[in-house]
Each structure stands twice: as structure tokens, then as C-alpha cells.
Amino acid sequence: MKPDDATRLSEPAPSDATAALAAPAPAAETSVPPPAAAAPAGGSRRKTALLGVAGAVLLAGLAYGAYWALVLNHFESTDNAYVQGNVVQLTPQVAGTVISIAADDTDFVKAGQTLVKLDPADARVALEQAEAQLAQAVRQSRTLFVNNGALRAQIAAREADLARAQSDVARAQEDVARRAPLVASGAVGKEEFNHVTSQLAVAKTALSAAESGAQAAREQLASNQSLTEGISVEEHPNVLQAAGKVREAHLALARAELLSPVDGYVARRSVQLGQRVQAGTPLLSVIALKDVWVDANFKEGQLRNLRIGQPVELVADVYGKKVEYHGTIEGLGAGTGAAFALLPAQNATGNWIKVVQRVPVRIALDPKEVAEHPLRIGLSMDARVDVSKTGGRMLAEASQNTSHAKSAAFDEGRAAADADVRRIIAANLGRPVGAAATARSAVPQTAVRADRPASLARAPSAAAAH
């Protein structure tokens, strides 16, 4: 036996598992492809995916750019918009105590409807006093017109006395002239001549008195005619002054009832029953919800394309996007909101921070759409303005001549006051109002001056009818 065989026999035989692990794997079955061969396939797929994503982003950017250029570039929008309207305050024109309240918050009222009543006792007493003063003024003015005829008759009597005095003087002068030559011959005694001479002196004195009386009567007529010339009784200044007092008292009585100026809904009622209110005290408000508009506060950078008359689409938060309002720009504010604030910003201070300002833009709404879907003052709106057409004006060219708001609820009180004045004048005039003007046009009044002839002074007193 060889030494090598002995050595192999002395060593323990390995197990099958150990032999399998120890045995080298065949080269053909355990070969792995080289990494350089797998890399090109994975990189190609990644590159394709990146190119696809880049292309999609590019296409989306181009689509958005085209959409912005064709659509978004023609619109300016803001969500800083709110509904506005006229808040009409009901304030008394006279002081008084509240005795009745005919409306409460959320009630709908019509123009001319009585909302609050004040105690009318004081105003009624003042009206009665003014009516009595007007009646007295009418009767006193009638006396002035009637006195014209009486003064003309007095002038006629004074001129008759003057004519009689002149006749007496002429007769006395004839007696003196006839007896004077006979005194020397003794045919007429001296005592008789003295008696005739004294009669002449008395006649001359009576003539002077008659002339003075006639002159005084003429001056008195001229003075009285200066108060009545060219006017009728109802046009006399004293009557007009008293009539003004009646109108004032009548209006004060009518103003004891506070009427609604417009159609609308009552809000912010603060008046209470029995409250003593002064003139100008706010009692409640009436809001006309059919005449509302929108104030949209755009940033100053958005104003460059806004023009008056541009169409606007609006959405209210209260109804959502299902209800869309249409309107037009009615005007752009004359200043920013900060400029008209109660405490405006002091931009001259050291710690100044630039803040983007906003300008209110007034938008008029379609009345039909507002009637179908009512709005309330203060509601939020989203406004979107079509600025594709910029041919309009940024500021109004001229003010409108028509009034924006008008109420006829108070005209009835003035008409009633005028009717009351006419009634009082007619009752104290003794004839229908207006007849004086007819009589005055038929027989004109002319003042009698001191130097007028006596024949004109004795003209028929046609003005006595006044």
C-alpha cells in the first residue's frame, strides 16, 4: 500500500451535504450577465417617462397661456364687493311725545303710510290761534279798502263846505263893496258898515278852514290808498303774513304724523311709546330693497381697464353660483377707501409700510333679477367685469339733471294748508276769493293827490266795493 492511500484512508469521509457545498458550481449554470448590459434598458424607460411628464407640463402651460390670453385677460374680478342701498332715516320735523307706533322691524311699508304719531294738542292750539289772527287781518284789511269810499265822501263834503265858504266870502265882499261908497254920504251907518266888514272877515276865516279841511281829507285818502293801491284784500301784506302763520301752524300739526318717504322695509326701530323726541332725532329706518346696488372694491392695479358701462357678472354668497346677477359699472369712486376713512392713514410717519389701496366701483343691478332674488344691504358678492371693451370713460363726464330720489309723501300737507288759508279768507271776506282781482281790474284805484282838482276828487268811490 502506498503512503498516499494510507493517508486517504485515515481521514474521515465528508458527508453529502458538505460535499455539495464544497463542490464548486459549474461555470455555465452560475454565470450572471454583466451590469453594463442591463443599464441601457432601465435608463431608456426613465428618460421616456420624464419626457412625457415634461411634454404634459408644457402642453398644460401652453393651454393655460392661451386661455389667459383669450379669456382671463379680458376680465377683472374681486370678492371684495358688498350690496349697498338707501337707508332712509325717519326723523321728526317738530318736537313732541310719541303716542302711536304703526310699524316694527322687518315690516313692509308704502310711501305715505303713517309710521309714528306725535301728540298734536300743542300744534292744534297754535293752529287755532293762527286762524283767528288771519281772520282778524282779513277784516282789518277790508276796513282799509272800505275807508277809501268813506274818505272820498268826506272829501266831497269838505269841498261842499269849501264851495259854500267861497260863496259866503263873495257875498260878503259884495256887501262891503256896495256899502263902502254910501258910508261917506251917510246913507249907510258906520255901525252897519263895520258889521258887514266883520262878516267878510268871518267868511274868509271859514273859507280858510274849509280849504284846510278839504286838503286834509285828500291827504288822508292818499295815505289810506297807499295801503291798498294795486292789491286786493287777500294780497294785502298783513293778510299774507297771517296766512303764512296759518300755513306754518298747519304744517306743524300735519307733521305730528310721521309718514314713510319711500316704499321699503323697516329696520333699526329705536323709538318707544311715550318717548319725548326732538326735531331731527332718528326714530327708525326704511330701506328700499328694490333700489340696491353693489360697491366692488377693486385694487388700484385693476383700475386701468375699468370703464363706465362695462358689463359685470355677480354672484351672491346667499344664493350661491346657481343664481347669477348681471349689471353694469355706473361709476368709479373719487378716492380710495382709506382716504375717506374715519381715521385716515398717516403715511408721512417714519414706519411706513406700503399697502395696496382699493377704490369702490359702483355697479348697477338689473331690477328684474333683484325682484326675483331679493338682496339685503351688506351681503357679500363676487364681481367679474368684462374689460374687453375699454372705450368708455373712467369718470363721469357731466352730472345728471334728473333727481336720483324723490318723494311725494309730503305734498298733501302743503296742499291742505293752502286750502285752509283760502277757506278762512273767503269766510271773512264776504265774497268769493278772487273777486277782488276782478273788481280791481274793472275800476283801477288812483291815489288822490293834494293838488288834484276838486272835480276829480269827487269821482265815484268805485273802490268802496273792496
Side-chain angles (χ1 to χ4, degrees), residues 326-417:
H326 299 83
T328 56
I329 293 181
E330 195 173 22
L332 282 74
T336 64
F340 299 111
L342 183 61
L343 297 175
Q346 299 295 329
N347 296 327
T349 58
N351 356 335
W352 171 77
I353 299 176
K354 181 177 177 60
V355 178
V356 178
Q357 301 297 316
R358 292 180 179 266
V359 175
V361 177
R362 183 162 179 166
I363 300 173
L365 300 175
D366 187 355
K368 295 182 179 179
E369 297 177 348
V370 174
E372 293 176 357
H373 299 90
L375 296 171
R376 277 78 173 172
I377 293 179
L379 291 180
S380 300
M381 303 283 286
D382 292 340
R384 188 165 177 258
V385 184
D386 184 358
V387 296
S388 57
K389 297 180 180 179
T390 57
R393 295 181 174 273
M394 295 188 67
L395 298 175
E397 183 177 8
S399 61
Q400 300 178 0
N401 294 327
T402 58
S403 57
H404 292 278
K406 186 178 181 181
S407 176
F410 308 104
D411 295 341
E412 185 177 355
R414 300 186 184 95

Side-chain angles (χ1 to χ4, degrees), residues 120-304:
D122 297 339
R124 187 174 289 111
V125 171
L127 176 60
E128 292 173 355
Q129 293 177 350
E131 289 176 345
Q133 292 176 358
L134 175 59
Q136 183 179 3
V138 172
R139 293 180 179 274
Q140 290 177 348
S141 299
R142 284 182 61 193
T143 303
L144 293 176
F145 283 90
V146 172
N147 285 343
N148 288 334
L151 291 175
R152 287 191 180 92
Q154 186 176 358
I155 290 175
R158 293 291 182 268
E159 289 185 345
D161 294 340
L162 176 61
R164 185 171 56 254
Q166 291 174 346
S167 176
D168 293 343
V169 169
R171 186 172 57 254
Q173 287 178 345
E174 290 177 359
D175 291 341
V176 170
R178 189 171 54 253
R179 287 175 173 75
L182 301 177
V183 173
S185 62
V188 176
K190 189 173 182 180
E191 181 179 357
E192 181 181 356
F193 181 75
N194 291 338
H195 179 70
V196 173
T197 304
S198 63
Q199 286 182 343
L200 177 61
V202 170
K204 289 183 177 181
T205 303
L207 177 61
S208 299
E211 290 177 349
S212 299
Q215 183 66 21
R218 296 190 190 99
E219 294 295 338
Q220 190 173 1
L221 176 61
S223 175
N224 195 79
Q225 283 185 332
S226 66
L227 300 176
T228 60
E229 186 177 10
I231 58 175
S232 60
V233 174
E234 56 267 28
E235 296 172 352
H236 195 273
N238 293 340
V239 175
L240 295 178
Q241 183 179 6
K245 294 294 184 180
V246 171
R247 290 187 178 93
E248 182 180 359
H250 199 285
L251 290 178
L253 178 60
R255 287 167 179 171
E257 293 187 2
L258 278 67
L259 309 179
S260 175
V262 295
D263 297 346
Y265 294 85
V266 178
R268 297 192 302 179
R269 182 183 73 84
S270 60
V271 61
Q272 298 296 331
L273 197 64
Q275 179 181 355
R276 177 71 180 181
V277 296
Q278 300 297 325
T281 304
L283 304 183
L284 53 86
S285 299
V286 179
I287 302 175
L289 293 182
K290 65 178 182 180
D291 298 326
V292 296
W293 64 89
V294 173
D295 280 345
N297 304 302
F298 286 91
K299 296 179 181 178
E300 48 190 328
Q302 297 177 295
L303 299 178
R304 63 175 63 94

